Amino acid sequence: MTNPLLAAWDTPFGLPPFDRMSDDDFAPAVDAALAEARANIAAITDYPEPPTFANTIEALEQAEETLGRVLGAFYPMAGADSNPAREGLQREFAPMLAAYGSEISENKALFARIEAIWADRDALDLTDEQKRVLMLTRRGFVRSGAQLDGAEAEALRAVKSRLSVLGTQFTQNLLADERAWFMPLDGDDLTGLPDFVIATARAAGAEKDAGGPVVTLSRSLIVPFLQFSDRRDLRQKAYEAWAARGANGGKTDNRALAAETLRLREQRAGLLGYDTFADFKLETEMAGTPDAVRDLLMQVWEPAKAAATADAKVLERMLHSDGFDGPLEPWDWRYYAEKRRKALHDLDEAELKPYLQLDRMIDAAFACANRLFGLDFAEITGPTYHPDVRMWEVTRDGCHVAVFMGDYFARGSKRSGAWCTALRTQKRLGGDTRPHVLNVCNFAKPQNGEPALLSYDDARTLFHEFGHALHQMLSDVTYDSISGTSVARDFVELPSQLFEHWLEVPQVLAEFATHADTGQPMPQDLLDRMLAATTYDMGFQTVEYVASALVDLGFHDGPAPVDPMQKQAEILESIGMPHAIRMRHATPHFAHVFSGDGYSSGYYSYMWSEVMDADAFAAFEEAGDPFDADIAKRLEATVLSSGGSVDAADLYTAFRGRLPGVGALLKGRGLDRAA
């Protein structure tokens, strides 16, 4: 029987045949795809003609098409709908793929062909995009160890293989801890909880077969529980379980994995001739150096800490007035901040949520994309990896642009957080390939046919991930290696964070924030109060984020710490971390940094991009129209369609005319007064 992963995908738009494949199909498909890729690489190195861009660089771009297709189906499913078989496959694939990557980067004959093209580049009639692809290809080989020989090459190969295994294990340990813990609620355990939290807890209890409502470690449940529960003892129990993910001892403990990961990253950087892993990692980013990153973070840290410290004094007085002695604790902050928000802004999340329906917020994101970029969305059916996944065909002027998929609800098989990925990326080499883009979120799933309701933070998350999706869908390049979000890490968050601003446009909310029961639009008074509160508690939010970014940088900007937890504590003490706020991601569950190299030394990039997104949206504000057609056209032409075909700083300068400073960010977060 033909493996459905290797056969032609005769599905709508060439989507993966999820309805015909099984977990047993993936291992043989990956084996076959790797064999094909190796044969394609051998054909490049054995080609008798002198190296050219076409017979070497373009051939290399196309060498792994089958492998990319198979893994493009596997990894999104493994992250969003995991099971023991898929987790086993991830563990199996990690060292295999690392070994294959090392084979390619250490292929002397292949690198010699690339070097020959590089040496003759000025005499070749290359387009600007081809020059960029050549530079990035050569740089990638050099940074992967192509110039190493003998024992050093062998050592780097072993380091990269082990790092891939550690990253997979870190992720699976975290998911296991998140799945395993829940806290039953009964009787007065529900005191203070709004109906929507109780409904979510009942749904979680049904999934766990617990016989009643429970609190889980899903953010969509534990955060509102911490906001509303009157039971301080239960808030503490839930918070400490949430904070302890990956640090519970036993086989799912991530602390030793984090220490080994940092040691191996230091070794990797040293083998490649860098003083620190941060120097290695930041060389290719907009920031460039650890000092530039630290300078940005500290410019934001001080005003954020000042704002948070002032807020903490108010919240602590509220705690004491409730009869509790002692300091404000981390499990108290969200509870008293919610009470204070209601008092200051006459704003209650339970009042807001009926106006923030998931379906209407999806409609709002689509409508903004239509007004800005002329995109239309029509829901379609086709094979998916889970019944919750929805799909839309994206068109412009009647022409197919992409397939967009949304997997919005939390479940035990899905890792926490929210992300965007592409099952297939846009490219023109070898034919016009249009992207398949997936947004994954963890919103509370309603029961009994009721509409799904979001918090304002949830709605912001939806817009954020859709901004990433637009970056993929509007990509217009020839080569897969520079398509969509294949850009500098500290630039990739610009489109996503920029798109969040349209959620705050009053006319968008006036049209799409409609009540789940009555269908009536959000009253103007409530809308005004909600928008006025968008920077409320921003000291807390900024402190927990910047602290995480500084710890990430501190881990990698120097010798690897023997004990990462001690190093974390030292960094937090040195910056004066407020007692009642903890890092957004403590080391044992810092998946951004330890599930792979993506955000290692790079967690700061959200803030680096925010400096740009605040300034970029100001271009629309200066024009007096959040949907100004000329600015939207320029945004697409310079940022959203270009992928990595141009240096990120040059792309932003082409859009805005200059690079921004930190002032717009502080103003946007309401921290300029504390600066």
Side-chain angles (χ1 to χ4, degrees):
M1 180 179 293
T2 302
N3 189 316
L5 286 161
L6 299 174
W9 290 3
D10 56 344
T11 54
F13 307 104
L15 290 162
F18 289 113
D19 54 341
R20 299 198 300 271
M21 67 177 68
S22 72
D23 292 338
D24 293 337
D25 293 322
F26 279 104
V30 169
D31 287 340
L34 281 171
E36 178 186 293
R38 288 185 168 103
N40 291 338
I41 297 298
I44 297 172
T45 59
D46 295 342
Y47 196 70
E49 299 296 328
T52 66
F53 190 88
N55 69 29
T56 300
I57 304 300
E58 289 188 341
L60 186 58
E61 286 274 331
Q62 297 175 295
E64 300 169 2
E65 285 198 352
T66 300
L67 182 63
R69 186 173 69 155
V70 172
L71 296 179
F74 174 72
Y75 279 109
M77 180 172 64
D81 192 27
S82 185
N83 61 31
R86 292 167 194 168
E87 291 178 3
L89 288 169
Q90 286 178 290
R91 293 191 295 271
E92 178 183 343
F93 292 163
M96 287 172 54
L97 295 172
Y100 168 74
S102 293
E103 280 180 37
I104 304 306
S105 63
E106 296 170 16
N107 188 318
K108 299 302 183 184
L110 179 59
F111 185 59
R113 293 182 70 90
I114 295 169
E115 283 284 69
I117 301 167
W118 178 253
D120 291 340
R121 63 190 181 279
D122 292 337
L124 303 177
D125 186 21
L126 300 180
T127 67
D128 288 343
E129 186 176 337
Q130 288 172 332
K131 292 175 184 176
R132 176 77 173 170
V133 168
L134 174 59
M135 184 279 290
L136 292 173
T137 301
R138 180 185 180 275
R139 187 175 73 180
F141 269 76
V142 171
R143 287 171 57 82
S144 295
Q147 295 175 320
L148 298 182
D149 292 301
E152 289 184 335
E154 180 62 33
L156 183 62
R157 186 184 313 121
V159 165
K160 289 193 288 187
S161 178
R162 179 60 180 163
L163 282 171
S164 69
V165 171
L166 291 172
T168 299
Q169 190 61 58
F170 189 99
T171 302
Q172 294 187 356
N173 288 349
L174 181 55
L175 179 59
D177 275 7
E178 290 172 347
R179 279 194 302 229
W181 189 91
F182 63 91
M183 180 175 69
L185 302 175
D186 190 24
D188 64 358
D189 295 347
L190 304 175
T191 302
L193 299 181
D195 290 343
F196 78 86
V197 180
I198 295 173
T200 303
R202 292 192 190 282
E207 183 186 13
K208 297 289 187 185
D209 197 23
V214 302
V215 174
T216 68
L217 299 182
S218 169
R219 190 176 187 90
S220 62
L221 178 51
I222 194 167
V223 168
F225 180 81
L226 293 171
Q227 284 178 297
F228 294 106
S229 175
D230 291 336
R231 290 283 302 275
R232 193 184 191 212
D233 58 331
L234 297 184
R235 295 201 312 270
Q236 178 178 358
K237 182 178 179 181
Y239 183 90
E240 290 182 335
W242 195 31
R245 291 170 294 159
N248 289 303
K251 64 181 182 179
T252 63
D253 197 296
N254 276 334
R255 287 171 288 190
L257 272 63
E260 185 180 358
T261 296
L262 294 173
R263 289 197 302 272
L264 291 173
R265 286 176 179 164
E266 179 185 24
Q267 184 180 352
R268 178 182 179 183
L271 287 167
L272 292 170
Y274 295 86
D275 291 337
T276 70
F277 183 79
D279 290 317
F280 164 71
K281 191 66 184 294
L282 294 171
E283 179 186 50
T284 61
E285 307 300 330
M286 288 185 72
T289 66
D291 286 344
V293 172
R294 187 173 287 104
D295 179 62
L296 168 68
L297 293 174
M298 293 310 296
Q299 285 186 66
V300 179
W301 173 257
E302 292 302 335
K305 184 173 72 169
T309 300
D311 289 341
K313 292 177 181 178
V314 177
L315 301 184
E316 189 166 87
R317 288 196 295 270
M318 296 171 68
L319 171 75
H320 293 164
S321 69
D322 278 351
F324 295 105
D325 296 327
L328 184 77
E329 299 290 352
W331 47 88
D332 296 319
W333 191 292
R334 288 176 174 85
Y335 178 75
Y336 287 104
E338 180 64 25
K339 287 183 174 295
R340 187 184 179 209
R341 180 172 74 156
K342 187 172 182 179
L344 288 177
H345 297 283
D346 191 21
L347 198 62
D348 185 340
E349 187 166 310
E351 180 185 13
L352 283 177
K353 284 183 78 88
Y355 291 99
L356 299 174
Q357 301 175 66
L358 171 61
D359 285 349
R360 295 296 285 153
M361 291 299 101
I362 294 172
D363 290 343
F366 289 173
C368 290
N370 176 265
R371 293 189 63 180
L372 288 164
F373 310 115
L375 299 178
D376 294 300
F377 298 80
E379 193 152 10
I380 58 175
T381 59
T384 62
Y385 59 81
H386 191 278
D388 283 348
V389 179
R390 299 170 65 184
M391 294 195 296
W392 293 264
E393 182 189 6
V394 186
T395 60
R396 179 155 56 183
D397 298 327
C399 296
H400 177 74
V401 172
V403 172
F404 173 68
M405 293 169 269
D407 182 359
Y408 294 109
F409 297 125
R411 53 179 174 266
S413 62
K414 182 188 290 186
R415 65 180 172 90
S416 61
W419 63 95
C420 175
T421 189
L423 285 70
R424 186 174 81 182
T425 53
Q426 178 274 329
K427 64 183 178 69
R428 290 193 299 272
L429 183 66
D432 186 15
T433 300
R434 304 309 308 168
H436 301 156
V437 186
L438 170 67
N439 277 178
V440 182
C441 299
N442 271 281
F443 304 142
K445 187 174 183 178
Q447 300 295 302
N448 304 318
E450 297 177 355
L453 305 180
L454 306 182
S455 67
Y456 194 75
D457 284 344
D458 288 339
R460 188 188 298 274
T461 295
L462 186 149
F463 269 64
H464 178 100
E465 299 306 332
F466 191 72
H468 281 308
L470 287 171
H471 202 181
Q472 292 278 16
M473 293 188 290
L474 292 173
S475 178
D476 185 21
V477 298
T478 302
Y479 301 100
D480 178 72
S481 62
I482 55 170
S483 178
T485 56
S486 297
V487 298
R489 180 65 63 178
D490 49 11
F491 188 73
V492 76
E493 298 298 336
L494 169 60
S496 55
Q497 294 177 181
L498 175 58
F499 198 70
E500 291 179 32
H501 288 273
W502 276 275
L503 177 61
E504 297 179 1
V505 171
Q507 66 198 81
V508 173
L509 289 167
E511 180 177 357
F512 293 98
T514 55
H515 197 279
D517 295 328
T518 68
Q520 294 299 306
M522 183 182 292
Q524 187 64 46
D525 175 61
L526 179 57
L527 176 60
D528 292 342
R529 285 183 279 130
M530 183 179 74
L531 292 175
T534 54
T535 60
Y536 173 72
D537 209 26
M538 195 56 72
F540 168 85
Q541 295 178 43
T542 308
V543 161
E544 63 167 7
Y545 165 78
V546 175
S548 297
L550 286 167
V551 168
D552 167 42
L553 184 65
F555 278 160
H556 297 101
D557 186 25
V562 175
D563 182 351
M565 299 305 293
Q566 180 181 344
K567 179 69 172 180
Q568 172 185 296
E570 291 171 355
I571 294 170
L572 296 180
E573 182 178 5
S574 71
I575 60 176
M577 184 74 171
H579 172 78
I581 307 178
R582 294 185 185 169
M583 295 167 60
R584 182 171 299 176
H585 306 289
T587 298
H589 54 86
F590 206 163
H592 280 79
V593 171
F594 292 105
S595 289
D597 274 352
Y599 281 90
S600 56
S601 290
Y603 192 61
Y604 77 92
S605 59
Y606 290 93
M607 187 143 285
W608 191 275
S609 293
E610 189 176 341
V611 170
M612 291 181 285
D613 85 62
D615 179 70
F617 192 71
F620 289 91
E621 293 176 320
E622 291 160 9
D625 180 1
F627 296 100
D628 183 275
D630 290 337
I631 297 175
K633 184 177 181 180
R634 190 166 75 244
L635 176 65
E636 179 180 352
T638 56
V639 174
L640 296 175
S641 69
S642 298
S645 63
V646 179
D647 179 78
D650 292 337
L651 287 177
Y652 190 83
T653 302
F655 169 64
R656 199 69 168 103
R658 49 154 177 74
L659 292 175
V662 74
L665 179 149
L666 294 175
K667 182 179 179 181
R669 285 183 171 243
L671 299 174
D672 51 327
R673 294 176 297 277

